[in-house]
Amino acid sequence: MPSALPRKTPEAKEKGFLAGYTLAELAELLSPLPRYRAGQIFSRISGGAASFGEMTELPKSLRQELGEKYSVYSSEISARLTDRDGTAKLQITLYDGGKIEAVLLGDGKDRNTACLSTQAGCPMGCVFCKTGALSFKRNLLSAEIVEQFLFLRKTAGKAGPGAGGISNIVIMGMGEPLLNLEELRRAIAVITAKEGSGLSPRRITVSTSGIAAGIRDLAEKGPPVRLALSLTTADSELRERLMPVTRTNPLKELKAALKEYQKTENRRITLEMVLLGGINTRQKDIEELGRFAEGLDVIVNLIPWNPVEGMFFEGRALREPESGELAAFTELLEKQGIAYTRRRRKGRGVGGACGQLGAAD
Ligand code: SAH
Ligand code: SF4
């Protein structure tokens, strides 16, 4: 029987993982196969099918042929760790042997948040973050991002069509998402497609260390996700030392980009503040934060630093903020009238809390 599918191209390995394809891309890839077939395959993958063999509605010869040319997934779960607080951390092995992590954060009720990685390692080098201390390997493919979502949905226990057990996604795992915006866009298109999992983009938060051009690009071309900026401190001089990205993306430029974002996406932006004991909890940090927040609709998210062994800042060992320090900080925020929330500490027992992800070495 003549093949109904195109020949496998030399660069096929990366192109052969169908979990990362949008429906339109899949239809094109599989043409001249009729479009409804692409639709069937797309919705089965979104529904959790891990192999073509499971897609019994397809003719056997087609299943076989698909299996010879492509695979549904590119990666596999190599370990699953569950914390007493219900947080689950997955260690995932990529097709090239690289390792990443993805985390499921449950609230014990109906809210399950999937925390996804966008890069293996991270090139940004923030001094307080374990991922930043690893060597940067590469950007993840759309398939590798979508697969994290599908694996976590299965872990949440309610797989099947639709978003299943996942109510929210935060792009806050390993890596800087705005340096991998094209593949992230494809992955979000797959996850939000109404023919597939159908999660609303408004339930997705993208967190960036502060790449002004990426924020502008997102404002201009979408998708309409929520945005979070890892501000850490609004004192430029200190931020340059803590987060080297500030040298090429000064706070002034970041603020202008956030304003532009807020013009198109009229929604609150989260400013994430990792609190490092004795470093960025000073009066000056609060004052500068007040100035930075002026003219923006923001909510501050306080994240007490999660301990990572052996992390130093200019010769000083990093430490968690003391409870008095935290109380003084929140009191000052209240005085300034700045809205804030405190992030609950989740996943520390499995090294799955913010800034503790580091399977890449
Ligand atoms: N790279 C993106 C998203 C992943 S980091 C970014 O930086 O925004 C997710 C959040 O964890 C960021 O706000 C970051 O500042 C924070 N973080 C990093 N290391 C941390 C640590 N050790 N303890 C607590 N939060 C940390
Ligand atoms: Fe990368 Fe975010 Fe960690 Fe900075 S905080 S090193 S940008 S993962």
Side-chain angles (χ1 to χ4, degrees):
M1 191 181 78
S3 171
L5 294 171
R7 285 162 61 92
K8 198 166 182 168
T9 53
E11 72 276 18
K13 186 130 202 203
E14 289 188 13
K15 300 215 161 143
F17 308 128
L18 300 196
Y21 280 73
T22 65
L23 177 53
E25 289 170 346
L26 200 58
E28 197 187 323
L29 178 81
L30 301 180
S31 115
L33 216 59
R35 201 185 154 90
Y36 79 92
R37 285 282 184 225
Q40 280 176 320
I41 296 166
F42 182 81
S43 68
R44 291 289 266 126
I45 295 175
S46 300
S51 68
F52 300 112
E54 292 170 46
M55 303 179 191
T56 46
E57 67 277 34
L58 304 179
K60 197 165 176 219
S61 59
L62 177 59
R63 275 182 270 152
Q64 221 158 18
E65 209 187 327
L66 284 166
E68 279 162 21
K69 295 193 166 160
Y70 309 109
S71 55
V72 176
Y73 292 162
S74 64
S75 57
E76 58 183 33
I77 300 173
S78 34
R80 186 183 271 120
L81 303 161
T82 312
D83 198 343
R84 268 171 311 194
D85 66 12
T87 305
K89 180 168 90 166
L90 303 182
Q91 283 174 354
I92 295 168
T93 303
L94 306 174
Y95 72 89
D96 62 358
K99 293 217 170 12
I100 56 163
E101 296 182 334
V103 182
L104 182 71
L105 302 138
D107 71 350
K109 286 177 258 160
D110 49 0
R111 199 178 157 105
N112 271 320
T113 301
C115 177
L116 311 184
S117 296
T118 51
Q119 298 183 314
C122 181
M124 307 312 286
C126 306
V127 301
F128 45 83
C129 172
K130 182 172 178 189
T131 311
L134 303 168
S135 62
F136 171 63
K137 297 275 172 23
R138 65 172 171 84
N139 277 340
L140 297 185
L141 303 168
S142 165
E144 293 167 326
I145 301 170
V146 174
E147 287 162 33
Q148 295 172 60
F149 166 76
L150 294 172
F151 291 155
L152 290 173
R153 192 181 60 182
K154 220 172 230 167
T155 303
K158 277 176 252 160
I166 305 291
S167 58
N168 296 76
I169 291 180
V170 292
I171 309 295
M172 295 186 187
M174 301 165 74
E176 169 47 56
L178 297 186
L179 288 185
N180 189 15
L181 193 47
E182 282 322 306
E183 290 301 292
L184 176 61
R185 269 200 181 106
R186 290 180 68 211
I188 291 176
V190 172
I191 293 168
T192 57
K194 61 179 185 324
E195 302 87 351
S197 303
L199 193 84
S200 163
R202 299 182 188 283
R203 289 179 171 272
I204 300 177
T205 302
V206 174
S207 172
T208 177
S209 59
I211 315 264
I215 296 172
R216 288 212 168 85
D217 192 341
L218 204 55
E220 209 177 297
K221 301 191 201 127
V225 290
R226 285 173 182 262
L227 188 65
L229 170 69
S230 298
L231 185 60
T232 315
T233 175
D235 172 0
S236 284
E237 190 265 331
L238 177 61
R239 195 174 193 271
E240 277 188 21
R241 285 150 60 208
L242 292 169
M243 301 177 73
V245 63
T246 318
R247 292 181 204 141
T248 43
N249 292 264
L251 285 175
K252 224 171 126 193
E253 229 178 271
L254 277 181
K255 182 164 175 178
L258 292 185
K259 276 199 163 157
E260 207 164 296
Y261 189 85
Q262 213 140 45
K263 247 193 254 162
T264 44
E265 261 312 300
N266 189 21
R267 301 176 69 220
R268 245 181 189 193
I269 292 168
T270 302
L271 300 179
E272 296 164 280
M273 306 291 284
V274 182
L275 297 179
L276 310 163
I279 294 174
N280 64 347
T281 53
R282 308 156 304 163
Q283 170 101 20
K284 182 170 167 65
D285 294 289
I286 303 266
E287 283 166 9
E288 297 286 349
L289 174 60
R291 261 192 284 280
F292 187 84
E294 242 166 64
L296 291 171
D297 180 13
V298 293
I299 181 144
V300 169
N301 190 353
L302 301 178
I303 315 170
W305 183 69
N306 289 311
V308 179
E309 197 74 25
M311 293 215 98
F312 288 86
F313 173 54
E314 298 174 351
R316 271 187 288 169
L318 289 178
R319 65 165 174 84
E320 298 177 60
E322 285 156 12
S323 59
E325 221 175 339
L326 206 60
F329 197 87
T330 52
E331 197 179 307
L332 282 169
L333 280 178
E334 276 163 25
K335 263 199 198 140
Q336 290 238 10
I338 300 174
Y340 70 91
T341 55
R342 254 190 73 174
R343 187 166 297 177
R344 282 168 307 140
R345 296 181 165 175
K346 297 216 83 177
R348 279 190 177 195
V350 289
C354 286
Q356 292 186 322
L357 300 187
D361 46 2

